[in-house]
Amino acid sequence: MPTFKNAKYVWSRADYEHYLKIDSDPKTGPANAGSFRDSVLPVAEAGLMQMVDGAAQLDENMSVTPAPGHTPGTIAINFESKGERALFCGDILHHALQVFHPEWNSFACAEPSVHARAAAPHWSIVPAPARG
């Protein structure tokens, strides 16, 4: 049962398909120690999931952009309102030092070289003096 029945759950199709394939294979499943089955599949089965392919505008203030590398379909969530911007980066950024060194990755990045290239453009939201 989904936790928030009235929420809009936005999911990257690339990630969904990636984890569904892992989860469906008896040799590799369950995906993410069972969290895909426990937390993602019930949302999909309830018809509450909005799949996105690549960049997508979700409403007048919120959009998503691809940021692959940590996972094949990692997305950045961008919010803009009244001239202010916010970036919800999730696993794109594991430590604040990665703003200065986007080439640094965590042990969990599926494709470290792709991750660094995909993450770097998102740091434009950080004011230049803070980036060094």
Side-chain angles (χ1 to χ4, degrees):
M1 179 57 64
T3 304
F4 304 103
K5 295 175 188 163
N6 296 321
K8 181 193 304 186
Y9 292 86
V10 179
W11 194 266
S12 157
R13 186 176 311 278
D15 265 0
Y16 183 81
E17 291 174 356
H18 170 76
Y19 286 110
L20 185 61
K21 181 178 178 182
I22 291 170
D23 197 71
S24 300
D25 185 340
K27 294 177 186 173
T28 57
N32 283 352
S35 64
F36 183 79
R37 289 180 191 174
D38 178 67
S39 302
V40 178
L41 287 180
V43 174
E45 290 164 359
L48 298 174
M49 188 176 289
Q50 176 184 342
M51 294 282 193
V52 295
D53 292 303
Q57 189 72 38
L58 304 177
D59 64 25
E60 71 265 9
N61 301 107
M62 193 172 299
S63 64
V64 295
T65 53
H70 178 70
T71 64
T74 298
I75 53 177
I77 302 169
N78 309 286
F79 185 79
E80 190 167 346
S81 178
K82 300 179 183 175
E84 299 290 324
R85 297 186 312 160
L87 169 69
F88 300 92
C89 59
D91 287 336
I92 298 169
L93 178 70
H94 294 276
H95 193 282
L97 286 173
Q98 286 178 282
V99 171
F100 302 99
H101 295 281
E103 73 279 7
W104 292 359
N105 295 291
S106 81
F107 72 94
C109 288
E111 299 180 60
S113 63
V114 172
H115 177 260
R117 286 191 311 274
H122 296 288
W123 304 150
S124 64
I125 198 167
V126 179
R131 292 193 309 261

